[in-house]
Each structure stands twice: as structure tokens, then as C-alpha cells.
Amino acid sequence: MGPEAGAALTLLERIIFVLLLISTLGTAFVTFRRRYVLVRSGKPPAAPGDTPGERLRRWLLYVPGQWCNLGNLTRGNPAGILHVFLFWGVLVFFLYYFLFVFLGDALGFSRMIRTGSFSLAFLRVSDIMGVLLIIALIWGLARRMLLRPGRLGPHFELTAFTLITLLGFILMLCYFFIEGLRLNLGMIEHAGPVSQFFADVIRKSLGGAEEQLGIFHILWWVQALVLVSVIIYIPHSGHQHALFAPLNILYGSPHAMGRLSPVELDETYRGLSAIRDFKQKQLLEFYACTQCGRCQDACPAYDTMKRLSPKKVIQDLRVWMDGAGGIRFPWPVDVEKQKLSVMKAWESISDETLWACTTCMACQNACPAFISPLDKIIDLRRDRVLMKGAFYPEVNNLFRDVETYGDTFGKGKALREDWALGLNAKVLSSENETEVLLWVGCQGSFHDRVKMIVAALALLMKRSGIDFAVLGKGEVCCGDPARRIGNEYLFHDLARKNIKNLQSLHFKRIVTYCPHCFNMLKNEYPRLGGRFEVLHYTEWVCEMLTKGTLEIKKSLPADIVYHDPCYLARGNGLWQKPREILSSVPGVTLLETEHSRMDTFCCGGGGGHMWMRETGKVKINETRVRQLVANDPEAVVTSCPYCLVMLEDGLKSLGLETVTCRDIVEILRDTV
Amino acid sequence: MKVIVLIKYIRYVYAQTGTEIADQYVGADDIIHMINPLDEMALEGALSIRDRNSDTRVQALTLGDRYAANGLKRALALGADEALHIEYGDPGNLDSWYRAAALTRVLQSLDFDLILCGEGSIDHNTGLVGPFVAEGLGIPHITRVIRIDLSRECRTVRVERAVERGDREILECGMPALLTIRKGMTLPRYPTLPGLLRAGRKPIRTLKLKDLDWGVTTGMTPLNRTKVIGLSSPKPKKRKKSAKGSRLAAADRLKALMKRSPSEENQGGNILEGSSEEMLPRVMEILRDNGIISD
């Protein structure tokens, strides 16, 4: 065997390299440690909702198994594959540099490491990963320079990205050339297949050992310097997600996406000004963000040109957090970023951005790193409402109506039962009992269009023979609009009233008409002490159809497209049952539409937007209507009063008068 | 600088779904209790003054039953510094004069630069208490105020008064004075969580009406000077439809068509369904039948 790599490098060089490495790793470590300290200065997390075993299994699937990226591959968006190459390539090369360059070359253990089958097997793997990495780097650069997918924008950061890609490219080429040279110079006994190829190329094109040794020397130092630059760069770039995203995935807790986290409404609530006002998980998420922009792609507000980009919200908060935590960039940053660093948290996101959100959870669903931009937006809204009383003036009317009259229409308790006039529905009180309690909701109680639907649902229940009752005047708003706008205080007030009322009554289960009420009663009331069995009416109807208590007798020949309500499909995973109901009606052809099931596109009515202004020229509901009518349906069917009203409005304003908008209940009324 | 805001906690009837004719068909569910909205606006006026002049103190004063304390709690949550409650179990039996007499009596023992109150309460709509109190105290009063500006030395106040159809009178007045506030001032603020929590800690001073010392005559004897002899609900009136030969303008005729009753604006009418082609002949028919267009 020829001279060791160590012999080609002088002792001084090896010392310099080790010192460089240690100092840059040290600086990186200091920055990461500072970030760790900042994250830990947030509010501690609640108890985990799953066992360590479940957690580990999930982590193994998503991180090493890269399901975070493979799970959302589509024909139009296959970029996730290249991340698998990147992930495993970087891991393998991390090991390579540690074992073969640091321990091997710099510290002189090369002979020990490069003997035996482990070394050969490893080099074979690293050769292949090197090729895959080169492919991934070229592909990544091509996407940013040529394809320019919207979600990576609006700032493609081409300079930084090109630079890092170039550095990566250089590293890979260095690797192949150096391994090839090592082989030629006899420094090593074996190498991977691609390196061998490079070795042959070098032997044919370059001259003798002297020349090759010289080039080896140069390339080795190029590799070393590039490595060191990368180590300096990583802690201040989006690439730090490599450390934080797996941690975030490990500490995520599984619960229905529709559930918001609660907040203690006492003197300890300080709004959102400093780092310690956030939760640790939220702070971790700021660093875990990869800037991939899938949230931006999924956001209906961004799609309709509002000033809301979930990606920007997270990134702005990350820049804010670094600034508030005293982490400085080692190079100059633009003015906007500088301004962010000196603000309070709630100032860093503008009003227009904040109120444009419809709380549809699409961003949360789309994120491969398990980040939820939504819960930051809600916390910022809470700060605006609870600490400053700052919101659009029209929201004042909503709050006033709900506070004074107990419903979102301001019509009052006395008129709450009017939808049921003539139906002879049993009203639940402390003196009677029932099996099923039909929770109507504000829309069903007062909105002219929706009242008919709820009456039809009550009639359906009558026909099924089930023992059911309504709350009548005792029903107060479930609190969803108040909570989504950020008014936790009002929500607590309403929820406590409802829970107290419900706990004094006798019923087995609650069936709700509205998905928002369903989400509240099922997912958010338990935290305030109200634990009930809650179903959405689509679940109940499916049950009745399976049992045979309800039978679909008539046919309805029609092309129907079903619009999944956000709070039903994405928030609670309920998209199969409504489709089952519709498919069991003879004659119905269920058309498919883009953005359905978990990826459904919001109708625009959530997050308080039924009462809030919509900025911009493009309307969310019209955008969704256009998606739904693409396959020429005769009717758009949904199972949410907000969706119904918003989509009907959208159809009218787009002049599509031939397409009707119906609720599933209306379909059943005509066919059962 | 001290501003006192007179607040009435009203019993507002928003529906008539009761079953007893003796109660005017007003059932228990038809009543809500809330701060008179105009008094809320007056409170907002006082708080705005404090925002601009930081050494101002705002005190809320109410005459009502024990539930009226809720109104004071809300006033404290919105930012009032102190609250005073004159408690009387049956405030519905007091007329405007008696209320004004009681309020005057208490106000005589307080010092203030400005008294603000709504121009009337939406339950009885007399609008008398403000002017009665001002006269009882011997201070000037201005009604229907929509804007308040204090002079630099805080010795006079300049107000804008709503006259009619957007016209404004600008008046200047020495202090102390009483201003009655009309709709048109800034939107009342919303209580913040710290405000609500702090309100729990600010005490409400309570006096009982019967304990008030009427001793030296104030010129305002505490007696009801009016008596309600009857209360009736409006009977549903016949709908007015404009005749073919009527000289009313087309817009007024359409309005008459749309009204279900004289007191409900734009609640009636029919909703037509169908495509534009189907609806248009029907629209023409309706307009023709009602003499709005002629052939």
C-alpha cells in the first residue's frame, strides 16, 4: 500500500484542519444551544396523548422512512423523492466525513478504518448516494431556476440556493475525484464502483504520481474548506430544519386537526409579546420550518391573493424569535428582517394578514414537518382580541349579538325554537329524557335557507322512529365563531353555559347538524369538562341506513359533486360517510373534484368570515365554486350550513343559475 | 379632571312570545338586561377624554336593582376607575323625575367636571333624566352631543351637536356641565381580558335609595310626578299599497310594496326563484299590477 493520506498532508495541515473544524462546529453548537435555550424558555407542553411506542413508530415512518415527503407525492409534485435522496445522502456523507476524513485523514486512523468489508460496503453505499445527491442537487437547482413552482416563492433566494447547491456539487465531485486519486496513488485498497471509474479517468488523463498527489492535496483542501463553509452556513439557513423538524415530528401529538389548544384566562395570560409567551412546541416549529411552501400552496386566502402566506407567518416569527433571542446573523440581512427583530411578537404579523385566515387547517394538513401555522394565527388573534380589543368593527356586532342574545344572529332566546314550529319536536328539559339530542346550531335556528334543512332533518329523525329531542330555547351558540376569531373569554362563557345545561339533562348522544358545532362539542368541550358522545348527522344517517331504520326508496338521477366541509373532512376525518350516503341513492353519479377529502378547499365562511369583510378582488367562495363545477354537475351537495350559504352565494354571483346547491338532508328528504 | 357617567341598566323587551295578555304577551325569554347602548356610548366618550387627558378619572353611577351591578362591572371592565350603585329593588316604579331627584342628591355630594349620559334609554325613551339632573344641580346641559373637545386648560368644553340630516351645531360651554350623548360618537370599545380581570378587583360602592338623606330641600322632591295609566301594544295595521293613480314616486311605491307593515322596513315582498328568463316576466307583471310602470 502506498503512502497514507496522512502522509500527503503535513502535520501542520492536519492540525489546522482539526482546529478549523472544531472552531466552526463549536460556533454552530453555540448557536444551536442558544436556540435550544430559547425554545425551552416557552411554556411547557401538556401531557402527551400517545404512548412512547406509538410515538416512536410514527417517527420512524416519517423521518427515516421519509413518509413526510413520500406521503404527499403527486404526479404534479414528485419533488418529495429528491428529498429522500438528500436525507439519506446527507446522513451517509455525514458518516463518511466523520469516519474517513476526520478520523481517517486528519487524525490518522485511515489504515484502521479502511480495512475489511465494512469499509468496502460503506464506500459502495456512499458512491451510490453521491450520485443520487448530485442528481438531487441538479434537480433542486433546476426547479428553482427554471420551473419556479409558486410554493418555493415568492422569494426564491436564488443566490443563496445556487451557492449552496454549487458547494454541494463541489463536495460530491471532490469526493469522487479524491477517492479515485487515493486508489491510483495506492493509499487505499478498495473503493466504490463510481470512484473506481473516476480513478480510471484520472489515470488516463493525468500523468504520474507526482501530479496526482499535487491535485489530491489541492482537492482535499477544497473539500475541507467547503465543508467548513457549510458548517458556518447551516445554522443560519433553512437547512437547520434538518435538526429541528425531526424533533418536532417526535414531539407532535396526535389529535383531531380541528381542535384548538386552550388558554388559561387569568392574570397569567399576557398576550403574545415575548418568547416566553409562546409554547415550547410553537417555538420549536419556527425552527423546524423548511420553507417548502406547501402550506402556502394549500391556503385558500393565498390562492385568492390575500396578504396571507402561512409560510411567511412562520418565517417572520422565526426571524422575530432569533432577533428577540439575541441570535445575530453573521452576515448583513435586509431591512425588513432587521425591523422584525426589534418588534414584539404581535406586531410582526399585520392585521390584514391575520384576519384573512379562514381557519380551514389546510396549512396544518399540508406541512411535512407537522407544523401548524394555524395555531400561531389563532394565538395572535387571541392577543389582538383579549389584550387590545382590536378587530374589524363589524366583528363588534357579532360579539354583541352573541353576548347579549346568545346567538350569532342577534335574534334572541325567545325565537330560538321557531324553526321547529309545527314539527311537534320534543324539547328536552330536566323533567324528561331522550336518546338522541339534536343540536341545531345558530345557522339552523335562524337562517331562512338553513331552517328548512334542519326541519327536514328533524322530520327524518321522526320518520326513523328514534327517540330524539331538541334543546329549544336552552341552546346557546356553541362558541365556534367567537373562538376562531380569538375571543376565548366569550367562548368560555358560552361553553360553560352549554356544558352546565347539558350536564343537567338526560340523553345518550348528541347529533349535530353543523360541522362547526360538531367540532366544538366533540373536540373542544371535553377540555372544559363537557364530555359527551357526539356525532355529525352524516354519521347518524349512515348508522340508520346500515341498520335499515331509514331506507332510500326513491331514485334521484343526477350528476352530483360533493363539497367536503373543512371542519368535517379535514378537521375530523369524516369524508367517507357522506359519500356513502350519496352513493346509496340510486341514480346519483358522484363526480370527483379537485381538492376533496383531506385536501378540501375552504368555502370561505370559516374563521369568522361569515361576518367579516373579505379583502381583495378574488373571492374564496367563487374560486371553490369554479373548482366544483369543472365537471359540469347538476347539483353541488354539502353537509355544512356555512358551506351551503357561501357556495350558493358563489353560484349566484358567478351567474351559474342552473346548478343547484343542496344539503345532504335535502337529498334524503326527497328520496327516503 | 373628573367625569361621571350616568348608566342605566335596562330591561329591554326584544320579542313578544309570552302567553299572558296581562303581561302584554311578554314572556320571561323576551327580556334581556343590558346597559343602555347610549349610556355605553357616553362611557366611551368619557374614556376617550381620559385617553387624551391622562389625569382624568371616570366614575360610573347607576340607579337600579341589584342586577344593575352587572352594568357597573362592565363599565369597570371597559376602564372606568370607580363605580357607585344606588340600589333600589323596583326601579321600574320610578319615573324620570324620581330617578333624576335621586341621582341629583347623590351627585351633589360628589365633585365632577363633566357628567355624561345617553340622550335617552331605549326601554322608556323619555330622555328627561339628563336635563332634569342638570337643572337640579344648577349646571348647563347640552343634548344630542356627538363630539366632545376639551379646551387646553380644561375650563370649557366645545361640543358638536347633531341637529338634523347631518347638520351640526357647535357649542361651547363652561364646566361643570352635563352632556347627553347621541348615536354617532365613536364605536364603544370592547373590554380586554386584563380589564375584565381588573374589574373584579375594583370595588363598587353601594348606597340604598331609602338611605339617601333628603334633609335639606334640593328643589327636587323624590316623588313620582307622572303616573302610567295604560300600556298597549301596537295593533297590526293594514298594509298600505299605492293605488294606480297615486302621485307617489316609483321608489316610494316599491317601498310600500316591500313593507309587511308600517313599522317593518323592507321585510315583505316575494322571493322569486328560477332563471333570469323565468323571473323577468313575473317582475314585469308585479310592477305593472302595482302601477309602478305603465304599458
Side-chain angles (χ1 to χ4, degrees), chain A residues 386 400 403 413-414 473 487, chain B residues 14 29-30 40 190 192-193:
Chain A
L386 296 175
R400 226 156 250 293
E403 278 167 2
K413 181 174 174 180
K473 292 182 182 174
N487 198 339
Chain B
Y14 68 89
D29 292 331
D30 298 322
E40 264 200 77
Y190 195 73
T192 63
L193 181 65

Side-chain angles (χ1 to χ4, degrees), chain A residues 309-585:
Chain A
S309 155
K311 174 167 96 165
K312 186 162 196 294
V313 169
I314 297 285
Q315 286 303 310
D316 280 352
L317 284 168
R318 175 186 62 85
V319 174
W320 166 81
M321 182 178 170
D322 270 352
I327 298 181
R328 306 260 166 263
F329 274 92
W331 48 81
V333 284
D334 61 51
V335 187
E336 228 191 86
K337 286 207 173 94
Q338 278 176 27
K339 271 197 265 178
L340 272 173
S341 328
V342 296
M343 290 179 184
K344 297 227 167 38
W346 54 263
E347 290 176 289
S348 56
I349 311 290
S350 74
D351 282 341
E352 208 188 322
T353 303
L354 203 57
W355 296 116
C357 177
T358 64
T359 69
C360 73
M361 305 164 278
C363 52
Q364 201 171 317
N365 184 43
C367 181
F370 288 25
I371 298 175
S372 169
L374 174 61
D375 87 296
K376 327 284 180 290
I377 290 177
I378 294 282
D379 275 342
L380 285 165
R381 284 185 174 187
R382 285 172 180 165
D383 174 273
R384 291 280 204 289
V385 173
L386 296 175
M387 297 300 280
K388 296 162 188 70
F391 37 79
Y392 291 141
E394 59 267 27
V395 176
N396 216 317
N397 297 338
L398 173 70
F399 287 161
R400 226 156 250 293
D401 283 343
V402 176
E403 278 167 2
T404 328
Y405 295 97
D407 62 80
T408 58
F409 284 79
K411 292 270 179 71
K413 181 174 174 180
L415 306 174
R416 189 131 191 157
E417 234 175 84
D418 284 1
W419 68 271
L421 276 171
L423 289 176
N424 271 328
K426 177 161 64 170
V427 175
L428 198 59
S429 70
S430 47
E431 273 114 49
N432 57 10
E433 58 173 34
T434 184
E435 196 184 315
V436 165
L437 173 59
L438 174 60
W439 181 281
V440 179
C442 299
Q443 296 290 321
S445 305
F446 297 109
H447 195 287
D448 286 327
R449 173 77 177 92
V450 182
K451 276 198 293 208
M452 308 188 292
I453 301 177
V454 179
L457 181 58
L459 278 173
L460 210 63
M461 287 192 152
K462 260 206 169 156
R463 244 197 275 180
S464 74
I466 197 132
D467 176 24
F468 83 100
V470 295
L471 276 175
K473 292 182 182 174
E475 202 183 278
V476 165
C477 181
C478 66
D480 170 88
R483 189 166 218 216
R484 284 338 186 246
I485 296 178
N487 198 339
E488 274 301 285
Y489 193 81
L490 181 54
F491 161 68
H492 272 233
D493 208 27
L494 295 164
R496 263 185 251 123
K497 273 198 199 111
N498 277 321
I499 292 175
K500 191 153 161 240
N501 189 23
L502 287 170
Q503 282 172 340
S504 71
L505 299 170
H506 311 286
F507 55 87
K508 291 228 184 64
R509 52 221 292 242
I510 303 178
V511 172
T512 75
Y513 163 62
C514 169
H516 290 258
C517 297
F518 168 67
N519 186 54
M520 294 310 262
L521 293 173
K522 179 162 184 197
N523 297 321
E524 306 196 351
Y525 273 30
R527 280 229 171 131
L528 292 170
R531 259 162 266 271
F532 313 104
E533 189 190 332
V534 187
L535 284 89
H536 187 246
Y537 82 81
T538 46
E539 293 181 284
W540 176 81
V541 168
C542 258
E543 221 184 87
M544 295 296 114
L545 287 175
T546 331
K547 277 201 204 142
T549 339
L550 281 177
E551 244 185 82
I552 302 207
K553 300 201 185 87
K554 304 196 199 102
S555 73
L556 182 71
D559 286 341
I560 288 181
V561 68
Y562 176 67
H563 163 79
D564 290 278
C566 295
Y567 276 81
L568 210 55
R570 200 169 17 243
N572 287 279
L574 267 175
W575 64 77
Q576 196 49 35
K577 299 232 162 93
R579 286 182 167 74
E580 271 172 30
I581 299 174
L582 288 172
S583 307
S584 60
V585 176

Side-chain angles (χ1 to χ4, degrees), chain A residues 102-122:
Chain A
F102 178 64
L103 288 183
D105 297 340
L107 293 188
F109 295 113
S110 195
R111 198 160 296 198
M112 211 164 57
I113 293 173
R114 281 186 189 262
T115 50
S117 46
F118 163 73
S119 160
L120 181 59
F122 188 94

Side-chain angles (χ1 to χ4, degrees), chain B residues 5-193:
Chain B
V5 183
L6 303 180
I7 291 183
K8 187 178 182 192
Y9 202 62
I10 58 172
R11 200 178 148 274
Y12 183 60
V13 175
Y14 68 89
Q16 280 177 293
T17 63
T19 44
E20 299 300 313
I21 192 169
D23 295 329
Q24 307 286 318
Y25 293 116
V26 172
D29 292 331
D30 298 322
I31 305 170
I32 46 167
H33 298 270
M34 59 184 198
I35 300 182
N36 178 30
L38 290 167
D39 293 338
E40 264 200 77
M41 253 163 239
L43 179 61
E44 174 61 30
L47 294 170
S48 305
I49 292 175
R50 192 179 61 183
D51 289 342
R52 284 174 274 150
N53 308 279
S54 52
D55 59 348
T56 312
R57 282 184 72 73
V58 175
Q59 178 173 28
L61 170 59
T62 217
L63 163 63
D65 59 14
R66 55 196 170 97
Y67 298 109
N70 293 333
L72 287 175
K73 285 206 188 86
R74 174 125 178 150
L76 289 171
L78 285 165
D81 301 297
E82 319 162 43
L84 180 51
H85 183 188
I86 309 172
E87 203 184 299
Y88 179 63
D90 198 1
N93 270 338
L94 307 174
D95 74 354
S96 300
W97 177 265
Y98 202 146
R99 303 177 74 92
L103 289 166
T104 309
R105 190 75 196 86
V106 170
L107 284 163
Q108 276 168 343
S109 61
L110 303 169
D111 67 326
F112 52 84
D113 296 288
L114 216 52
I115 300 179
L116 301 181
C117 63
E119 68 166 341
S121 66
I122 63 174
D123 55 355
H124 290 124
N125 274 303
T126 62
L128 293 171
V129 170
F132 281 172
V133 166
E135 286 303 300
L137 291 170
I139 59 176
H141 75 275
I142 303 179
T143 58
R144 292 169 71 109
V145 170
I146 54 171
R147 195 194 150 104
I148 306 174
D149 285 313
L150 292 168
S151 77
R152 217 168 287 255
E153 312 83 46
C154 291
R155 283 289 95 224
T156 60
V157 60
R158 175 179 268 234
V159 304
E160 262 181 44
R161 195 176 165 263
V163 188
E164 61 170 335
R165 281 195 234 154
D167 289 352
R168 304 268 179 269
E169 262 179 11
I170 303 194
L171 301 172
E172 216 170 77
C173 176
M175 298 208 280
L178 183 142
L179 306 173
T180 74
I181 308 296
R182 168 163 243 268
K183 206 165 110 154
M185 284 196 88
T186 45
L187 203 64
R189 62 195 60 187
Y190 195 73
T192 63
L193 181 65

